[in-house]
Amino acid sequence: MESSSNPDQNGTPTSSVSSPYRRTYSDISGLSHRFDVQSFYNRPSNTNAVVLSGHEEEDLSEEAVEPKDDAVNDVDGDREDNDLDSDIDSAEDAELEMMRERFAKLLLGEDMSGSGKGVCTAVTVSNSITNLYATVFGQSLRLQPLSTEKKDLWKREMNCFMSICDYIVEVIPRSLGTNVEITETKLRSDILMSLPALRKLDNMLMEILDSFTDNEFWYVERGSSSMNSGNGGRDSGTFRKVVVQRKDEKWWLPVPCVPAEGLSEEERKNLRHKRDCANQIHKAALAINDSTLNDMDIPDSYLTTLPKSGKASVGDVIYKQLCTAEKFYPEQLLDILKISSEHEAIELADKVEASLVTWRRKTGGLTHSKSSWDMMKDIGGDADRGNDKNHILAARARSLLFCLKQRFPELSQTSLDICKIQYNRDVGKAVLESYSRVLEGLAYNVVSWIDDVLYVDRTVRNRDD
């Protein structure tokens, strides 16, 4: 806030102090006031004038030379207010500068050279949400509340990205009579349905993390002195060898520890309840993400890489199971394949998805993409098209892919998903896809962390028995 300085009668400029309570970013406020130290001492009294003797006038003039304590306190208080106002200005300037940087990156498409070679706005938004998630939750490796700074950063940035969807609308005609028809605008149907749900899932995850305050378990870092000392950083004993062996493939994670007698029944019950909630959140976010990806167009660059037949994609073993069985059971097929690693699972997912697209193209029901409703109609219509081999193969491949993702919930994105995100031009779908993807990952991490604690507790109790 800026205010002008007016010189007093001696030519000395007066200082102005602004109030620290500011409602807006405007430089104009009705709460500002002006304070003049010298005029404070020389201001006329409101009481009736009294005739003083010369000696009394001398004493009064001497007292006037030295400022009163109250006046000094007022000056010090105004200086503190001035410092506080400066801090507020600095915080507002930093936030404004951050918003300018975000706006510039969106316009430039992450191409800081300004040559126009950047990515489209949809990809920029998707990358920004992914990077924000890594910044806020990248170092969060245990069950504990987020810091206030990170929580504020997450809410502020996500509100900024989601505000884009407030202007993505669809035009709907509305009849006012027999001959009069007008058009109205409302939020696009996919945003209207999915975005409030994602906000709710986000808040539920934050509530789950905030609830981990007074815990009976704790964590120690791998290789730390507290872990090697035998008491896990607390007086009570722990059972850690099994945990280290179980988490050997994830060496960066801290080791959960529980008391020697294990967790209390109430703590165990609360952990299971929170795990169930986080698991439901994971399923809901996964469903929204799959629906959004299904609505995205399949890029031509992906279609050109597909083989001419779906059999060439999945191989003879899987193709035989898809064709010959009267009733198809995807769980049994996965058991026969004996998939033991995530690498094998993602490789199989890519093959099945490629064959699925190939068979759907042969039926004439797929050119680029289909909405989720169209896909559901295809599933329901497979019974009517029972004699169409391509429809049967596509339906079974879809069920196999779904079962595979359920068995490996930590499965990374398939080649088709990555290609869709890379070539997507719809900003609304980019927000929904990236938001649901990061929430899906966070919910899965919460479930995994709770499973680790319950595993240690179960191991300790089994040892005592």
Side-chain angles (χ1 to χ4, degrees), residues 83-328:
D83 294 340
L84 180 59
D85 189 65
S86 299
D87 294 339
I88 294 177
D89 288 339
S90 300
E92 291 176 354
D93 291 341
E95 185 174 352
L96 182 60
E97 185 62 29
M98 181 186 63
M99 298 303 297
R100 288 173 177 171
E101 179 183 356
R102 298 288 187 273
F103 184 67
K105 287 184 177 180
L106 287 176
L107 290 181
L108 294 173
E110 300 178 351
D111 178 21
M112 298 301 106
S113 67
S115 58
K117 298 180 180 180
V119 297
C120 68
T121 305
V123 178
T124 304
V125 171
S126 179
N127 293 340
S128 299
I129 294 178
T130 304
N131 294 335
L132 175 63
Y133 172 79
T135 301
V136 176
F137 299 98
Q139 299 300 321
S140 180
L141 304 176
R142 60 186 69 188
L143 296 171
Q144 63 181 10
L146 278 178
S147 63
T148 304
E149 293 78 8
K150 287 187 176 182
K151 189 182 299 183
D152 292 341
L153 174 63
W154 174 255
K155 290 182 178 180
R156 182 176 64 250
E157 293 286 316
M158 287 307 303
N159 287 336
C160 179
F161 289 125
M162 287 186 291
S163 64
I164 301 175
C165 297
D166 295 339
Y167 302 92
I168 301 177
V169 297
E170 57 186 4
V171 179
I172 299 177
R174 186 167 70 92
S175 177
L176 295 180
T178 56
N179 298 325
V180 180
E181 187 178 81
I182 64 174
T183 58
E184 294 180 340
T185 59
K186 72 171 186 177
L187 285 180
R188 207 170 65 188
S189 57
D190 58 338
I191 296 176
L192 188 61
M193 294 179 58
S194 299
L195 193 57
L198 291 175
R199 286 179 180 268
K200 181 64 176 178
L201 297 178
D202 190 351
N203 293 332
M204 293 173 63
L205 279 175
M206 293 300 108
E207 291 176 359
I208 292 177
L209 290 177
D210 290 340
S211 65
F212 290 103
T213 51
D214 299 326
N215 307 315
E216 296 182 9
F217 59 91
W218 65 97
Y219 292 89
V220 294
E221 298 295 335
R222 294 183 184 274
S224 62
S225 57
S226 59
M227 179 177 177
N228 297 327
S229 62
N231 62 1
R234 294 194 181 185
D235 295 335
S236 58
T238 57
F239 190 70
R240 295 183 305 277
K241 290 185 178 180
V242 177
V243 185
V244 174
Q245 293 175 1
R246 184 179 183 233
K247 285 292 183 182
D248 188 41
E249 74 280 2
K250 296 182 179 180
W251 51 266
W252 62 89
L253 293 177
V255 181
C257 304
V258 299
E261 65 277 7
L263 300 174
S264 64
E265 186 63 30
E266 182 180 0
E267 180 78 358
R268 199 178 300 118
K269 182 179 179 180
N270 289 334
L271 284 175
R272 289 170 179 167
H273 174 69
K274 294 173 184 177
R275 185 199 181 279
D276 293 339
C277 293
N279 191 39
Q280 293 300 321
I281 294 173
H282 175 265
K283 291 181 179 179
L286 178 61
I288 295 176
N289 187 261
D290 285 343
S291 175
T292 305
L293 286 171
N294 288 332
D295 289 344
M296 290 184 181
D297 292 337
I298 300 178
D300 293 333
S301 59
Y302 179 84
L303 296 176
T304 55
T305 61
L306 295 177
K308 294 182 179 180
S309 64
K311 180 180 178 180
S313 298
V314 295
D316 295 336
V317 176
I318 298 178
Y319 183 78
K320 183 179 180 180
Q321 292 291 328
L322 293 175
C323 290
T324 58
E326 295 182 0
K327 292 185 178 180
F328 178 68

Side-chain angles (χ1 to χ4, degrees), residues 1 3-4 15-20 29-36 74 77-78 81:
M1 187 185 315
S3 59
S4 60
S15 61
S16 61
V17 182
S18 59
S19 172
S29 174
L31 295 175
S32 62
H33 63 278
R34 186 165 302 172
F35 182 80
D36 190 345
D74 289 342
D78 285 323
D81 291 344

Side-chain angles (χ1 to χ4, degrees), residues 35 37 41 69-81:
F35 182 80
V37 177
Y41 299 133
D69 293 339
D70 294 340
V72 174
N73 293 335
D74 289 342
V75 173
D76 293 339
D78 285 323
R79 288 176 179 173
E80 293 177 358
D81 291 344

